[in-house]
């Protein structure tokens, strides 16, 4: 345990605290003394006990207001967290749907490419047959022309 000298209402006090908490205790005492002095300036010298009670009530009031604000913020954070999880779930679902759709489109594209290759092959085959037929006709025509 550490001992700390603090000043409150222009009086010195020796207080004990856990080791390492000395500065925190000094800061708290300065804060409390400031609140006490502000009330003393506003209300005049109505007695140390009454001023201490009013200071304590004021600090507790501020504490409860702050506590309520923290609770409200926690509720808002929880709501935001739930909404974020919903959005994340929707995004994942959307991505999965799009992946399936892309897969189907890729399959259709492969079928279309295959159809194009088959059509190209059929066209080239027909073109070759047509060319051979024309060459045969031309060669027969030339042969007949020579005979006549």
């Amino acid at each position: 345990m550490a001992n700390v000298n603090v000043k409150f209402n222009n009086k010195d006090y020796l207080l004990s605290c856990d080791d390492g908490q000395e500065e925190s205790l000094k800061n708290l005492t300065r804060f409390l003394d400031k609140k006490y002095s502000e009330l003393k300036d506003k209300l005049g010298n109505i007695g140390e006990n009454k001023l201490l009670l009013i200071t304590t009530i004021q600090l507790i009031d501020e504490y409860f207001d702050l506590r309520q604000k923290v609770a409200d913020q926690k509720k808002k954070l929880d709501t935001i967290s739930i909404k974020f999880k919903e959005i994340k779930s929707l995004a994942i679902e959307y991505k999965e749907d799009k992946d399936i759709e892309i897969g189907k489109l890729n399959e259709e594209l492969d079928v279309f490419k295959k159809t194009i290759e088959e059509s190209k092959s059929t066209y080239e085959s027909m073109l070759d047959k047509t060319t051979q037929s024309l060459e045969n006709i031309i060669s027969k025509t030339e042969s007949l022309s020579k005979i006549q």
Side-chain angles (χ1 to χ4, degrees), residues 78-137:
D78 290 344
T79 302
I80 289 171
S81 177
I82 290 168
K83 293 290 182 189
F84 177 77
K85 287 177 183 175
E86 289 173 5
I87 289 172
K88 182 180 174 184
S89 174
L90 287 172
I92 290 170
E93 186 178 313
Y94 177 79
K95 183 190 177 301
E96 289 170 353
D97 289 348
K98 289 301 166 188
D99 287 345
I100 291 169
E101 195 173 318
I102 288 170
K104 287 179 182 177
L105 287 173
N106 283 333
E107 288 174 9
E108 289 176 15
L109 183 61
D110 289 342
V111 168
F112 185 66
K113 283 179 181 178
K114 194 181 252 183
T115 303
I116 288 174
E117 286 298 320
E118 289 172 0
S119 295
K120 182 180 174 186
S121 178
T122 304
Y123 173 74
E124 287 175 353
S125 173
M126 287 175 49
L127 192 59
D128 286 344
K129 287 179 183 177
T130 304
T131 303
Q132 284 178 357
S133 292
L134 284 173
E135 285 175 354
N136 283 340
I137 292 173

Side-chain angles (χ1 to χ4, degrees), residues 27-44:
N27 288 335
L28 288 171
T29 305
R30 279 192 289 270
F31 179 77
L32 182 60
D33 188 51
K34 181 180 174 194
K35 287 284 189 183
Y36 181 85
S37 296
E38 289 172 0
L39 274 175
K40 190 175 182 181
D41 291 344
K42 282 183 187 176
L43 302 175

Side-chain angles (χ1 to χ4, degrees), residues 34-97:
K34 181 180 174 194
K35 287 284 189 183
Y36 181 85
S37 296
E38 289 172 0
L39 274 175
K40 190 175 182 181
D41 291 344
K42 282 183 187 176
L43 302 175
N45 198 1
I46 60 171
E48 188 174 2
N49 287 338
K50 273 189 177 179
L51 277 173
L52 281 172
L53 178 62
I54 293 170
T55 303
T56 303
I57 290 171
Q58 218 178 31
L59 287 172
I60 293 295
D61 182 48
E62 289 174 9
Y63 166 77
F64 278 113
D65 286 346
L66 181 60
R67 188 172 150 187
Q68 186 60 45
K69 287 177 184 177
V70 168
D72 291 345
Q73 291 301 320
K74 186 181 180 314
K75 285 178 187 175
K76 287 179 185 177
L77 250 156
D78 290 344
T79 302
I80 289 171
S81 177
I82 290 168
K83 293 290 182 189
F84 177 77
K85 287 177 183 175
E86 289 173 5
I87 289 172
K88 182 180 174 184
S89 174
L90 287 172
I92 290 170
E93 186 178 313
Y94 177 79
K95 183 190 177 301
E96 289 170 353
D97 289 348

Side-chain angles (χ1 to χ4, degrees), residues 4-16:
V4 180
N5 285 318
V6 293
K7 191 171 202 130
F8 180 78
N9 194 23
N10 294 319
K11 295 176 188 171
D12 290 321
Y13 295 92
L14 181 63
L15 301 176
S16 294

